[in-house]
Amino acid sequence: MTKLVAGVFGVLVVATFGAFFLAQRLKNSPSVVQQFRRTPLFSPNRDGRKDRAYVNFKLKRTDEVTVAIVNHEGDEVRVLADDRHMPAYTPTRFVWNGRTDDGGRAPDGNYRVRITLHREGRSITLRYGIRLDITPPRPRVTSVGPFKTPGPEILPQPDGGDVVVHLLAPGYEPVIRVFKTGPGPTRKVLEDDSLPDGSKEWRWNGTVDGRPVSPGTYVATIETRDKAGNRGLSPPLDRRGLPATTYGGKLPGHGGITVRYLGVLPPYLPTTAGEELDVAVDARGQPWRWSLRRVGTNQSTPSRRKTSARVRLHAPGKQSGVYLMRVSTATHTTTVPVPVQSRDEHRVLVVLPVMTWQGRNSLDDDGDGLPNLLDRGVGVKLDRVYAGDGLPAGFADRDAPLLAWLDRNHHRYDITTDVALAMNRGPRLQGHKGVILPSDVRWLPRSLQQRLRRFVRDGGAMATFGIDSLRRQVTISPRRRLVGPTPAATTDLFGARLHPPEELSAPSNVVLKNDEIQFFAGTSGAFGPFSSIQEADSLGAEPLASAVTEDPPSSLPTLAASRLGKGLVLRYPLPELPAKAASGDPETTALLNRTWTLLSH
């Protein structure tokens, strides 16, 4: 046993000295893998920047090699070359696109290159690593000042100063872009890539190339890149390079900027004639003048100069109607509607669609940089100024001509708004024979829809001049917001199944098809021509009278009357009809006179 132990010990000593001298020889001789270079950091996110990692080296001796990417545990992730012949001293490049052998994406992390030399029967794992990183930085516009209100900052500032966009901008190469998101299609208006790395704020005075931008909603966005080339965006941009939006969604951050040179907020409840009403005015610190005239007339109250943020006046006139308040500064003018209710009561009630007006009013309430619109599934405030020229969309072409026709023909009526009806303020449905909805009524609370339907079933008559109306619901919150807008239902509240509104390729007349209640009495039975219509597959109630398009010929009703319970539903889904009546068109005038008879008796 002693001789055996001594022999084993001697063998180990000889092996140890042999290994030592071999290691020294390898250490002092040139490496078999020479001029090794690699991409130390890459981001295979297919954005065209640093999408691939490159590995370059040459061999001291010709060999067949396998080149693989391994993770931090030494597990093989991707084979870049398998048993490839490499002549000595021939530089060769290998490429990794960040994918694994099974086609998936390798996770973020550190990787190394393993080279297997088949002739030598050994593998070498290079100690220089490759960092894969596709996680972008997360920049953000945190607020817009100087006041940092919950809503958007407003330009121009009364003192003429800039707004300050506060940034969280990790990374490098910051880029600020400003987009106009409403009204109208979103478009880029400004790009600034001159900020130094690490900037915390950016200033804007509301001009581009020295010219003031148009009124509307704007959003300031931020982009940065990290060392791997990943692009961080807030908010994200779509394929067109515009802020990506979703139905019912908000933009991240708080980059909203509203450009408004003049804004006016009239009351959304009717004021009784002679009583006091308040109108709020935002003239950005400039003096302003105002005047008042009734819809359909050219006579107005004398212009008066103001410098405060509101005007208090007594509701004019004696008869119900809508007055237009015109407010002007030295450079801008806007006009808003003001409903006034008579002290006397009448048989017909006109309901102004304030919920629809505000639901489509292109204003940013919460400062994210997108207009709050019920069409987008986003709640809106009731207390907000009207954008643009001040008049709600469609008012001048539809509401105003119909109201002017009623006044000119001495048809006396009560007036209210859908908000007032929902809140049980002002004139009620009870006590009226008929109701007029003078334009689109897109959204109503469910309870008010039920009350309108009950009004008709109990014997009332309703004339609706809207397009795609009475199919959506909304809730008035305790904080006076319209929230929870629903998509359009299959049928409206009276059960009618409507076609989408249609623009005809050529104007067409609408001609009588049937009439069981003398709905078209006093007319020739032909109206128009009209360019815009909305047909109905069914009326949802007992059809009594209808008129259809003449060219192209159709059997589906456009103008129509139907019976629901004891009452009547009268439909006029022709946007051009009120203007024809106001212009004195005899056929339209005769139709509306007959309508008034059905509503008031």
Side-chain angles (χ1 to χ4, degrees):
M1 292 297 293
T2 303
K3 292 182 179 181
L4 179 60
V5 171
V8 171
F9 178 77
V11 170
L12 290 175
V13 171
V14 171
T16 299
F17 276 97
F20 172 78
F21 286 112
L22 177 61
Q24 287 297 107
R25 185 168 64 89
L26 290 174
K27 182 176 180 180
N28 294 325
S29 65
S31 171
V32 68
V33 177
Q34 299 180 347
Q35 296 182 2
F36 176 79
R37 296 188 302 276
R38 90 290 185 214
T39 301
L41 180 66
F42 79 123
S43 56
N45 53 14
R46 302 183 182 180
D47 68 350
R49 293 176 51 142
K50 300 185 179 181
D51 280 338
R52 292 175 173 81
Y54 298 95
V55 175
N56 300 268
F57 64 90
K58 64 182 181 181
L59 296 180
K60 179 182 176 182
R61 291 181 291 274
T62 298
D63 209 327
E64 278 68 46
V65 302
T66 295
V67 180
I69 301 296
V70 298
N71 62 22
H72 67 284
E73 295 179 344
D75 297 327
E76 189 175 279
V77 173
R78 179 69 182 271
V79 174
L80 306 183
D82 188 15
D83 202 18
R84 177 184 295 186
H85 179 75
M86 282 189 65
Y89 299 109
T90 302
T92 306
R93 168 180 281 190
F94 303 87
V95 182
W96 184 33
N97 63 3
R99 294 283 167 173
T100 62
D101 281 333
D102 60 8
R105 185 187 69 80
D108 284 10
N110 294 311
Y111 297 85
R112 293 197 293 171
V113 179
R114 183 166 65 201
I115 302 170
T116 301
L117 306 170
H118 292 283
R119 291 187 183 182
E120 295 195 16
R122 65 189 179 106
S123 295
I124 301 170
T125 301
L126 282 303
R127 63 188 181 93
Y128 299 105
I130 298 173
R131 175 72 182 173
L132 186 155
D133 179 6
I134 66 166
T135 302
R138 295 183 179 179
R140 183 173 288 259
V141 175
T142 58
S143 65
V144 180
F147 299 112
K148 299 184 182 180
T149 59
E153 192 58 81
I154 299 177
L155 280 171
Q157 294 287 305
D159 62 0
D162 302 338
V163 294
V164 182
V165 179
H166 298 277
L167 307 172
L168 178 65
Y172 308 90
E173 304 175 29
V175 178
I176 296 289
R177 297 182 181 89
V178 176
F179 298 87
K180 184 177 184 181
T181 57
T186 299
R187 60 185 179 88
K188 185 174 72 174
V189 298
L190 178 64
E191 181 170 320
D192 184 358
D193 60 1
S194 65
L195 272 72
D197 295 343
S199 295
K200 294 184 178 181
E201 64 179 45
W202 178 79
R203 293 175 176 268
W204 189 42
N205 61 1
T207 66
V208 174
D209 296 329
R211 297 181 178 181
V213 297
S214 58
T217 296
Y218 294 78
V219 62
T221 71
I222 175 71
E223 171 190 332
T224 60
R225 291 185 182 270
D226 61 16
K227 290 183 177 180
N230 293 299
R231 184 188 189 198
L233 294 161
S234 182
L237 303 182
D238 61 20
R239 293 181 178 179
R240 300 169 297 167
L242 303 175
T245 60
T246 58
Y247 180 82
K250 295 176 57 176
L251 292 180
H254 196 85
I257 302 170
T258 291
V259 175
R260 181 166 72 219
Y261 301 102
L262 178 61
V264 181
L265 172 62
Y268 52 73
L269 303 177
T271 305
T272 302
E275 294 186 357
E276 199 171 71
L277 63 87
D278 283 342
V279 178
V281 177
D282 177 13
R284 310 311 299 152
Q286 301 297 310
W288 50 278
R289 306 184 72 87
W290 68 273
S291 61
L292 205 64
R293 70 175 177 87
R294 187 180 176 93
V295 165
T297 69
N298 293 321
Q299 295 181 346
S300 61
T301 60
S303 179
R304 303 177 187 179
R305 188 175 187 272
K306 298 280 289 185
T307 56
S308 63
R310 63 177 55 246
V311 60
R312 184 168 294 171
L313 65 149
H314 289 89
K318 295 181 179 180
Q319 299 298 332
S320 300
V322 174
Y323 287 78
L324 300 180
M325 185 174 185
R326 185 175 186 267
V327 178
S328 301
T329 64
T331 55
H332 293 84
T333 299
T334 191
T335 305
V336 296
V338 179
V340 175
Q341 165 61 21
S342 168
R343 290 185 178 275
D344 300 325
E345 295 182 356
H346 304 88
R347 291 189 170 190
V348 176
L349 178 64
V350 175
V351 181
L352 301 177
V354 168
M355 295 189 206
T356 298
W357 292 349
Q358 288 290 27
R360 306 171 91 177
N361 189 7
S362 185
L363 292 176
D364 178 12
D365 291 344
D366 46 30
D368 72 330
L370 279 181
N372 288 62
L373 298 168
L374 293 182
D375 278 320
R376 288 189 50 248
V378 179
V380 307
K381 293 180 180 179
L382 279 173
D383 294 306
R384 56 182 189 166
V385 303
Y386 286 105
D389 62 4
L391 290 176
F395 181 90
D397 299 326
R398 301 171 66 185
D399 303 81
L402 185 58
L403 292 167
W405 181 87
L406 291 171
D407 290 347
R408 190 171 61 247
N409 287 273
H410 307 291
H411 295 313
R412 302 304 181 201
Y413 52 88
D414 290 337
I415 198 162
T416 190
T417 68
D418 49 8
V419 177
L421 274 182
M423 293 180 171
N424 292 315
R425 304 278 296 275
R428 313 292 176 89
L429 292 174
Q430 293 79 8
H432 292 94
K433 297 290 186 180
V435 169
I436 296 176
L437 306 180
S439 59
D440 298 350
V441 182
R442 285 287 184 103
W443 295 274
L444 289 175
R446 182 171 182 270
S447 59
L448 181 53
Q449 287 189 348
Q450 292 173 335
R451 287 159 55 193
L452 290 171
R453 182 179 173 87
R454 191 180 309 121
F455 170 80
V456 173
R457 292 190 65 89
D458 291 345
M462 182 171 297
T464 170
F465 291 81
I467 297 293
D468 201 28
S469 291
L470 305 174
R471 299 174 60 198
R472 300 163 180 84
Q473 296 179 3
V474 73
T475 299
I476 302 178
S477 77
R479 302 179 65 181
R480 292 188 295 186
R481 287 178 55 85
L482 301 176
V483 298
T486 68
T490 306
T491 60
D492 71 9
L493 70 90
F494 298 115
R497 189 180 299 273
L498 305 175
H499 274 213
E502 182 180 357
E503 296 290 330
L504 301 177
S505 57
S508 171
N509 283 336
V510 174
V511 297
L512 173 66
K513 179 182 179 183
N514 66 293
D515 190 356
E516 299 178 14
I517 60 168
Q518 300 298 300
F519 182 43
F520 300 107
T523 75
S524 68
F527 312 92
F530 298 104
S531 299
S532 301
I533 64 170
Q534 184 172 33
E535 297 178 322
D537 275 333
S538 65
L539 297 176
E542 178 189 355
L544 299 175
S546 65
V548 297
T549 54
E550 183 177 40
D551 185 22
S554 173
S555 61
L556 298 178
T558 300
L559 285 170
S562 57
R563 186 176 303 282
L564 181 68
K566 300 177 182 179
L568 294 175
V569 180
L570 313 176
R571 299 178 181 275
Y572 308 82
L574 301 163
E576 298 151 294
L577 189 144
K580 286 185 177 294
S583 68
D585 175 68
E587 295 299 323
T588 309
T589 297
L591 175 64
L592 292 187
N593 278 326
R594 177 57 180 161
T595 299
W596 182 262
T597 300
L598 293 172
L599 289 171
S600 58
H601 292 83

